[in-house]
Amino acid sequence: MGFCLFGNVAIGAHYARRRHGAERVLIVDWDVHHGNGTQALVEQERDVHFVSMHQWPWYPGTGASDDRGPHRNVWNVPMRAGLPAVEYVDALREAIDAATTGFVPDLVMISAGFDSLLGDPLGAFTLEYEHIQELTRFLVERAEEWCGGRVVSALEGGYAPERLAVACVRHMMALE
Ligand SMILES: [Zn+2]
Protein backbone atom coordinates (compact mmCIF):
# COMPACT_ATOMS: atom_id res chain seq x y z
CA MET A 1 0.00 0.00 0.00
CA GLY A 2 2.83 2.39 -0.72
CA PHE A 3 5.42 1.96 2.02
CA CYS A 4 6.94 -1.44 1.26
CA LEU A 5 7.86 -3.45 -1.81
CA PHE A 6 8.45 -6.62 0.20
CA GLY A 7 7.24 -7.74 3.61
CA ASN A 8 10.80 -8.27 4.78
CA VAL A 9 10.08 -9.49 8.28
CA ALA A 10 7.27 -11.80 7.20
CA ILE A 11 9.51 -13.27 4.50
CA GLY A 12 12.25 -13.66 7.10
CA ALA A 13 9.89 -15.46 9.47
CA HIS A 14 8.77 -17.90 6.79
CA TYR A 15 12.37 -18.45 5.72
CA ALA A 16 13.50 -19.12 9.29
CA ARG A 17 10.75 -21.70 9.70
CA ARG A 18 11.36 -23.48 6.42
CA ARG A 19 15.14 -23.33 6.14
CA HIS A 20 16.44 -22.96 9.69
CA GLY A 21 14.10 -25.13 11.70
CA ALA A 22 12.53 -22.35 13.73
CA GLU A 23 9.10 -23.70 14.61
CA ARG A 24 7.67 -20.73 16.42
CA VAL A 25 8.40 -17.11 15.56
CA LEU A 26 7.32 -14.00 17.43
CA ILE A 27 7.17 -10.79 15.39
CA VAL A 28 6.93 -7.50 17.27
CA ASP A 29 6.13 -4.38 15.24
CA TRP A 30 6.43 -0.99 16.95
CA ASP A 31 6.26 1.05 13.74
CA VAL A 32 3.60 3.76 14.13
CA HIS A 33 1.57 2.23 11.28
CA HIS A 34 -0.29 -1.05 11.47
CA GLY A 35 1.76 -3.90 10.06
CA ASN A 36 -0.99 -4.74 7.62
CA GLY A 37 1.31 -6.37 5.10
CA THR A 38 2.98 -8.50 7.75
CA GLN A 39 -0.37 -9.55 9.16
CA ALA A 40 -1.61 -10.54 5.71
CA LEU A 41 1.53 -12.61 5.15
CA VAL A 42 1.63 -14.44 8.50
CA GLU A 43 -1.91 -14.67 9.83
CA GLN A 44 -2.43 -18.09 8.25
CA GLU A 45 0.55 -19.51 10.16
CA ARG A 46 -0.55 -20.49 13.65
CA ASP A 47 3.05 -20.76 14.81
CA VAL A 48 3.87 -17.19 13.92
CA HIS A 49 2.59 -14.79 16.56
CA PHE A 50 2.39 -11.20 15.41
CA VAL A 51 2.12 -8.18 17.71
CA SER A 52 1.59 -4.76 16.13
CA MET A 53 1.20 -1.54 18.08
CA HIS A 54 0.13 1.40 15.97
CA GLN A 55 -1.48 4.81 16.01
CA TRP A 56 -5.28 4.71 15.77
CA PRO A 57 -7.06 6.06 13.90
CA TRP A 58 -4.31 6.39 11.30
CA TYR A 59 -3.15 5.14 7.94
CA PRO A 60 -3.76 2.44 6.71
CA GLY A 61 -6.90 2.13 8.87
CA THR A 62 -6.52 -1.57 9.66
CA GLY A 63 -5.43 -3.26 12.89
CA ALA A 64 -8.39 -2.98 15.26
CA SER A 65 -7.89 -4.74 18.58
CA ASP A 66 -10.58 -7.30 17.75
CA ASP A 67 -8.83 -8.21 14.49
CA ARG A 68 -7.01 -11.29 15.77
CA GLY A 69 -6.66 -13.04 12.42
CA PRO A 70 -8.41 -16.29 11.49
CA HIS A 71 -6.31 -18.32 13.95
CA ARG A 72 -6.10 -15.70 16.74
CA ASN A 73 -2.34 -15.49 16.38
CA VAL A 74 -2.40 -11.71 15.87
CA TRP A 75 -2.35 -9.13 18.66
CA ASN A 76 -3.21 -5.67 17.39
CA VAL A 77 -2.66 -2.78 19.79
CA PRO A 78 -4.22 0.41 18.41
CA MET A 79 -3.26 3.47 20.46
CA ARG A 80 -4.32 7.09 20.38
CA ALA A 81 -1.83 9.76 19.33
CA GLY A 82 0.03 11.91 21.83
CA LEU A 83 -0.18 9.73 24.93
CA PRO A 84 2.60 9.70 27.53
CA ALA A 85 5.32 7.41 26.19
CA VAL A 86 5.07 5.01 29.11
CA GLU A 87 1.56 4.08 27.98
CA TYR A 88 2.88 2.85 24.64
CA VAL A 89 5.69 0.94 26.31
CA ASP A 90 3.34 -0.72 28.81
CA ALA A 91 0.74 -1.58 26.17
CA LEU A 92 3.30 -3.22 23.93
CA ARG A 93 4.86 -5.17 26.78
CA GLU A 94 1.43 -6.43 27.84
CA ALA A 95 0.65 -7.54 24.30
CA ILE A 96 4.01 -9.33 24.04
CA ASP A 97 3.24 -11.12 27.30
CA ALA A 98 -0.18 -12.13 25.98
CA ALA A 99 1.27 -13.34 22.68
CA THR A 100 3.83 -15.52 24.46
CA THR A 101 1.60 -17.06 27.10
CA GLY A 102 1.94 -20.76 26.38
CA PHE A 103 4.02 -19.97 23.28
CA VAL A 104 7.80 -20.08 23.50
CA PRO A 105 9.34 -18.58 20.37
CA ASP A 106 12.45 -20.05 18.72
CA LEU A 107 13.13 -16.69 17.14
CA VAL A 108 12.09 -13.10 17.82
CA MET A 109 11.87 -10.66 14.93
CA ILE A 110 11.42 -6.93 15.38
CA SER A 111 9.80 -4.64 12.83
CA ALA A 112 11.76 -1.68 14.11
CA GLY A 113 9.94 1.34 12.79
CA PHE A 114 11.17 4.58 14.28
CA ASP A 115 8.28 6.68 13.04
CA SER A 116 6.91 5.97 16.53
CA LEU A 117 9.40 8.49 17.94
CA LEU A 118 8.24 11.89 19.12
CA GLY A 119 8.51 14.42 16.32
CA ASP A 120 8.19 12.07 13.37
CA PRO A 121 6.36 13.80 10.49
CA LEU A 122 4.28 10.68 9.72
CA GLY A 123 3.19 9.81 13.23
CA ALA A 124 2.17 11.29 16.56
CA PHE A 125 3.49 8.79 19.10
CA THR A 126 5.83 10.17 21.75
CA LEU A 127 8.59 7.59 22.16
CA GLU A 128 12.09 8.78 22.98
CA TYR A 129 15.36 6.91 22.48
CA GLU A 130 15.21 5.60 26.03
CA HIS A 131 11.89 3.89 25.30
CA ILE A 132 13.33 2.20 22.23
CA GLN A 133 16.20 1.01 24.40
CA GLU A 134 13.80 -0.22 27.07
CA LEU A 135 11.67 -2.17 24.60
CA THR A 136 14.76 -3.60 22.95
CA ARG A 137 16.21 -4.76 26.27
CA PHE A 138 12.84 -6.24 27.24
CA LEU A 139 12.77 -8.33 24.07
CA VAL A 140 16.43 -9.33 24.31
CA GLU A 141 15.98 -10.48 27.91
CA ARG A 142 12.87 -12.46 27.00
CA ALA A 143 14.63 -13.94 23.98
CA GLU A 144 17.48 -15.08 26.22
CA GLU A 145 14.95 -17.05 28.27
CA TRP A 146 13.04 -18.37 25.28
CA CYS A 147 15.59 -19.17 22.64
CA GLY A 148 19.17 -18.36 23.53
CA GLY A 149 18.72 -14.71 22.64
CA ARG A 150 17.88 -15.16 18.97
CA VAL A 151 16.63 -11.75 17.81
CA VAL A 152 16.57 -10.34 14.30
CA SER A 153 15.65 -6.70 13.88
CA ALA A 154 14.78 -4.99 10.60
CA LEU A 155 14.54 -1.28 10.05
CA GLU A 156 11.11 -0.13 8.95
CA GLY A 157 9.66 3.40 9.15
CA GLY A 158 11.29 6.58 10.41
CA TYR A 159 11.02 9.88 8.59
CA ALA A 160 13.00 12.31 10.72
CA PRO A 161 16.50 11.35 9.53
CA GLU A 162 18.54 12.65 12.46
CA ARG A 163 16.24 11.08 15.04
CA LEU A 164 16.12 7.88 13.02
CA ALA A 165 19.91 7.66 12.96
CA VAL A 166 20.27 8.08 16.71
CA ALA A 167 17.46 5.61 17.38
CA CYS A 168 19.08 2.99 15.15
CA VAL A 169 22.36 3.25 17.04
CA ARG A 170 20.68 3.14 20.44
CA HIS A 171 18.58 0.18 19.33
CA MET A 172 21.62 -1.72 18.05
CA MET A 173 23.55 -1.01 21.23
CA ALA A 174 20.64 -2.39 23.26
CA LEU A 175 20.60 -5.53 21.08
CA GLU A 176 24.07 -6.54 22.27
ZN1 LIG B 1 5.41 3.36 9.58
Side-chain angles (χ1 to χ4, degrees):
M1 292 175 65
F3 278 85
C4 307
L5 293 177
F6 299 101
N8 295 309
V9 169
I11 292 168
H14 291 304
Y15 189 85
R17 296 184 75 241
R18 288 175 196 177
R19 297 292 177 87
H20 293 290
E23 291 180 14
R24 292 171 302 280
V25 181
L26 172 69
I27 300 174
V28 176
D29 180 340
W30 65 55
D31 190 283
V32 81
H33 303 97
H34 176 228
N36 58 316
T38 303
Q39 179 171 336
L41 291 166
V42 304
E43 69 179 3
Q44 299 296 340
E45 297 277 357
R46 295 167 194 270
D47 286 334
V48 178
H49 283 197
F50 177 50
V51 178
S52 177
M53 179 177 67
H54 39 270
Q55 188 173 321
W56 182 276
W58 203 236
Y59 183 89
T62 50
S65 57
D66 62 358
D67 177 4
R68 299 287 318 281
H71 303 297
R72 301 186 69 75
N73 56 325
V74 174
W75 283 260
N76 278 311
V77 186
M79 299 287 287
R80 283 189 292 117
L83 298 172
V86 66
E87 295 193 27
Y88 300 114
V89 172
D90 288 349
L92 188 58
R93 288 170 58 138
E94 279 176 27
I96 293 165
D97 285 341
T100 55
T101 298
F103 178 90
V104 180
D106 299 307
L107 171 66
V108 176
M109 302 190 74
I110 305 173
S111 284
F114 297 112
D115 46 12
S116 46
L117 289 170
L118 181 73
D120 191 278
L122 294 192
F125 276 7
T126 57
L127 299 183
E128 288 291 351
Y129 307 131
E130 69 203 63
H131 305 111
I132 296 298
Q133 279 181 296
E134 183 181 348
L135 287 168
T136 307
R137 288 309 308 164
F138 174 77
L139 280 172
V140 167
E141 284 165 16
R142 291 299 170 94
E144 283 167 356
E145 294 168 18
W146 292 325
C147 54
R150 279 199 289 271
V151 178
V152 172
S153 182
L155 175 62
E156 296 205 350
Y159 307 97
E162 291 186 9
R163 302 263 294 161
L164 170 65
V166 176
C168 285
V169 172
R170 299 280 284 267
H171 176 55
M172 286 189 282
M173 290 174 74
L175 282 171
E176 277 193 295

